[in-house]
Amino acid sequence: MKEILNIQKQLLPDLLDTMKERYTILHHIMVSGVVGRRTLAGSLNMTERVLRSEVEFLKAQGLLEIEAAGMRVSVAGRQLLESIEPMVRELFGLNELGGRIRKHFGLKQVIIVPGDSDTSPHTKKELGRAGAAVLRKYVSKDEVIAVTGGSTMAEVAYHLSSSTSLKGSWFVPARGGLGESVDFQANTIASTMAKKTGASYRLLHVPDQLGEDAYQSLMQDTTITEIIEFIRKARIVIHGIGEAMVMARRRKVDDATTASLLHEGALAEAFGYYFDRGGRIIHKMPTVGLRIDDIQEMDCVIGVAGGKSKGEAIVSVLSFGHEDILVTDEAAAIEMVQMLPS
C-alpha cells in the first residue's frame, strides 16, 4: 500500500489531495453525528460554495444523507471510512509518526488521529472516539478499570456505547476529584462509562487536593480505605496527561509549590504526580487514590492526550516508562518526534 501511495503522490498528487479533502469532510460529519453545512464549513475553514460541491458529490455516491437537521453519514459511508482507514493513516503520514514514537518509548501501540485538538473540536472528539475504541479492544469482562478526569476523558466516555457490553466489570475513579468542573470529574466520567457499557461503578467522594492533616484523617476512615482498596484492584487504567503549569493553576496550587515546580522543570502532570523532561517525578500532590506503585503494576496503561501544546508533556510522561498504549493527535505527535533523537 505504501508503495502504491508513493507512486500516486508522484503521478497524481491532485487526486490524493482530493481524496484527503473528501475523507476529511466525511469523517467530520461522522464524528459530529448530524451537522449543518454552515457549521461544517466553519470547522473545516472552507467556503460554503466549495463545500456544497463536495457534499453533492458525496451524496450522489450514497455516502451522505441530507436531512432537515443537517447532514449525516450513511451506512455505506461508515463502511467506506472504516475500510480506508489504514490507507488514510499512511496517506497522512501517521503510521510513520506512530512507529517512531512506539519504538523510542517501547510502547505496545500508538494511535494517532489527524489534526490538532488545541484548535479543532472535531479532532478532540476523534481523540475521544479513538480512546474509546482502544478501551473496547483491551477490556475483557469482570475487569476493574480506573479512569482519571479531564475533558479528553469526558470525550472517551461520550464515545462508548451499549454495543460494548462490559457487564460484570467496574469503572472507578483513579483518584479523588471533587473540586473540578462536575462534567470533567473522574467520578462523573467513571459513572458515565459504566452506564454506557452496562458495567457497574464505585465513586470516591473526596477532594482532588488535600492538606497533609486532611489526608491522614481521611485515611483513617474505613469507608474511604475500603473503596481505595477496591480501586487498587484495577488492572487497566485510562488517563489524560496535563501540562504541569496549566494543571497547577487549575488546581490552585500555592505559590511556593508552583515556584518549586518551575524551578525543578516540571512539564507534565498525571495522577497527581508532576514529571520533568526526563520522566522523573519531582512532586506528588497529597491525593487519595491510585499510587504510582499501583500504576507500575497495571496490566495495561492507556494514555489519551493531544494538541500541539501537549507534545512536551506527553514525552515527559512517556519517559517515566510505564505507559503501554498512547492515543494522541497529529499535532502532538509531530511535536514529540521533533524532540526525539534523529
Side-chain angles (χ1 to χ4, degrees), residues 22-331:
R22 288 174 178 167
Y23 168 84
T24 301
I25 292 169
L26 205 57
H27 195 265
H28 264 69
I29 297 170
M30 185 189 72
V31 174
S32 300
V34 177
V35 63
R37 194 162 57 203
R38 180 173 298 177
T39 300
L40 183 61
S43 297
L44 295 173
N45 290 320
M46 294 176 69
T47 65
E48 285 194 62
R49 181 184 62 79
V50 171
L51 180 60
R52 185 185 306 113
S53 173
E54 295 296 346
V55 164
E56 287 174 357
F57 172 83
L58 294 170
K59 181 174 180 291
Q61 296 300 311
L63 305 175
L64 279 184
E65 296 171 352
I66 311 296
E67 306 172 350
M71 300 171 287
R72 175 195 303 275
V73 174
S74 67
V75 173
R78 287 180 177 274
Q79 291 172 344
L80 176 67
L81 285 171
E82 289 175 8
S83 66
I84 67 171
E85 189 166 331
M87 182 188 298
V88 168
R89 297 180 68 78
E90 194 68 54
L91 189 61
F92 280 85
L94 304 183
N95 285 342
E96 183 179 353
L97 278 174
R100 288 192 61 184
I101 294 167
R102 181 182 57 77
K103 184 177 180 180
H104 180 82
F105 293 104
L107 302 174
K108 291 179 182 176
Q109 187 177 10
V110 175
I111 297 98
I112 302 174
V113 303
D116 184 350
S117 298
D118 286 345
T119 58
S120 169
H122 165 268
T123 302
K124 187 76 166 280
K125 290 180 184 295
E126 178 59 8
L127 198 60
R129 190 181 76 88
V134 167
L135 192 59
R136 286 194 296 268
K137 178 180 177 181
Y138 285 93
V139 173
S140 57
K141 292 186 178 180
D142 303 320
E143 296 266 19
V144 178
I145 306 115
V147 300
T148 64
S151 58
T152 302
M153 285 298 102
E155 285 291 349
V156 174
Y158 176 81
H159 284 92
L160 288 172
S161 68
S162 58
S163 62
T164 305
S165 176
L166 295 178
K167 195 170 183 180
S169 292
W170 292 79
F171 281 94
V172 295
R175 51 187 278 196
L178 302 182
E180 289 196 69
S181 168
V182 173
D183 291 343
F184 299 154
Q185 288 178 12
N187 276 338
T188 304
I189 292 166
S191 64
T192 299
M193 288 181 169
K195 290 169 184 175
K196 287 204 165 193
T197 59
S200 301
Y201 63 92
R202 297 193 69 175
L203 305 181
L204 183 60
H205 293 293
V206 298
D208 175 61
Q209 196 169 303
L210 299 164
E212 187 61 33
D213 290 344
Y215 175 80
Q216 294 299 336
S217 177
L218 276 173
M219 295 309 288
Q220 302 302 315
D221 187 307
T222 54
T223 303
I224 297 294
T225 55
E226 190 271 329
I227 293 173
I228 291 171
E229 285 306 308
F230 187 81
I231 290 171
R232 287 176 179 161
K233 291 179 181 178
R235 306 314 307 157
I236 294 178
V237 61
I238 182 166
H239 69 96
I241 295 171
E243 296 170 75
M245 291 303 108
V246 171
M247 298 308 295
R249 286 194 299 272
R250 187 177 299 171
R251 297 200 165 117
K252 297 181 174 60
V253 173
D254 63 81
D255 292 343
T257 303
T258 299
S260 175
L261 289 171
L262 280 167
H263 178 72
E264 293 289 332
L267 293 178
E269 187 275 344
F271 307 108
Y273 293 83
Y274 287 82
F275 303 84
D276 67 9
R277 181 181 288 269
R280 184 172 64 97
I281 296 172
I282 58 176
H283 185 73
K284 177 191 180 301
M285 303 304 296
T287 60
V288 175
L290 290 179
R291 303 161 299 190
I292 208 70
D293 291 346
D294 301 318
I295 307 301
Q296 292 169 328
E297 294 176 5
M298 292 280 179
D299 292 336
C300 185
V301 181
I302 305 168
V304 187
K308 183 178 180 180
S309 64
K310 290 273 186 80
E312 201 170 37
I314 298 169
V315 166
S316 175
V317 171
L318 292 183
S319 296
F320 177 67
H322 290 279
E323 297 291 312
D324 295 302
I325 298 158
L326 173 68
V327 182
T328 189
D329 63 24
E330 183 180 9

